[in-house]
Amino acid sequence: MDNISTLDKAQSDMYNGYAFGSLGVVTSGSIWLISTIISYSYSSSQAIWTLLIGGVLINPVSKLLGIAIGLKGPAVNNPLKNLALEGTIWMIMCIPMAYGLSFQNTEWFFQAMLLIIGGRYLTFATVFGNKLFWILGATLGFSAYLLFRFKVQSSGSLLTGALIEIVFGVIMYFIYRKSQLKAEINEY
């Protein structure tokens, strides 16, 4: 029973420290949106590099947004931070595979990235203690399949990823804010 209590506390700490992960999801979706614009305006190859370089910026930009809204981040010794880091490493290890697919068909890179990112979000259900991440991961994965199946162009795949992440991120932020307001009301 003590382990469950510890897990609950760790999840609550991650949830409150990262605003339910909403800022990272919105930041990621925004990078997908910028990549959509690059793909449409310039080329799919440049959109690949935009997504890759932008992906490196997700964590620092999300942290800056968190600081701007007053988040303190999770506790230094929170063990779930390791799970989040391990998921990030797994994702990075998969990127060369997605990049290799782009040499066969540029669109496959974006569809593979949707699958990879969707898979990473599945672990966030444990990190943040909320199964909404399973729905987000499954939505990204299923959309990747449909985009592949119907041979959707790069900008369509990018826009799909952007919309899914931005919509989920906004919903998650409102869920987080509602829980914060409820906690503040309960304090009085």
Side-chain angles (χ1 to χ4, degrees):
M1 181 126 172
D2 193 33
N3 288 338
I4 292 172
S5 175
T6 303
L7 177 61
D8 288 344
K9 287 178 184 175
Q11 288 172 329
S12 178
D13 181 54
M14 293 294 283
Y15 180 92
N16 291 314
Y18 288 124
F20 187 15
S22 62
L23 302 178
V25 176
V26 168
T27 301
S28 178
S30 298
I31 291 167
W32 280 83
L33 187 57
I34 292 166
S35 298
T36 303
I37 295 165
I38 297 297
S39 175
Y40 183 75
S41 301
Y42 299 101
S43 73
S44 295
S45 297
Q46 289 176 317
I48 288 172
W49 287 105
T50 303
L51 193 64
L52 291 172
I53 294 166
V56 171
L57 300 174
I58 293 170
N59 188 280
V61 169
S62 301
K63 284 184 178 180
L64 288 174
L65 290 172
I67 291 168
I69 65 168
L71 296 179
K72 296 176 180 146
V76 175
N77 62 348
N78 189 321
L80 291 176
K81 286 171 59 175
N82 291 338
L83 180 57
L85 177 62
E86 291 160 359
T88 299
I89 293 168
W90 174 84
M91 181 181 66
I92 291 167
M93 291 171 66
C94 292
I95 291 173
M97 178 182 57
Y99 187 68
L101 287 171
S102 74
F103 294 116
Q104 297 295 314
N105 186 321
T106 306
E107 287 77 17
W108 293 354
F109 171 81
F110 303 109
Q111 295 154 4
M113 288 302 296
L114 287 171
L115 282 169
I116 292 164
I117 293 166
R120 179 174 186 250
Y121 280 139
L122 297 178
T123 62
F124 281 14
T126 299
V127 170
F128 293 102
N130 193 299
K131 293 180 175 101
L132 186 55
F133 279 102
W134 286 353
I135 298 169
L136 172 55
T139 301
L140 288 170
F142 187 65
S143 68
Y145 166 75
L146 291 176
L147 293 162
F148 173 79
R149 174 78 172 86
F150 293 107
K151 298 179 171 82
V152 174
Q153 297 297 311
S154 297
S155 57
S157 293
L158 283 159
L159 184 59
T160 300
L163 293 175
I164 291 169
E165 285 199 308
I166 290 170
V167 167
F168 270 87
V170 168
I171 290 169
M172 289 170 168
Y173 184 75
F174 282 121
I175 291 169
Y176 164 75
R177 285 301 302 149
K178 183 179 176 185
S179 72
Q180 296 303 300
L181 292 172
K182 188 175 179 180
E184 290 173 15
I185 290 170
N186 289 338
E187 284 181 17
Y188 295 112

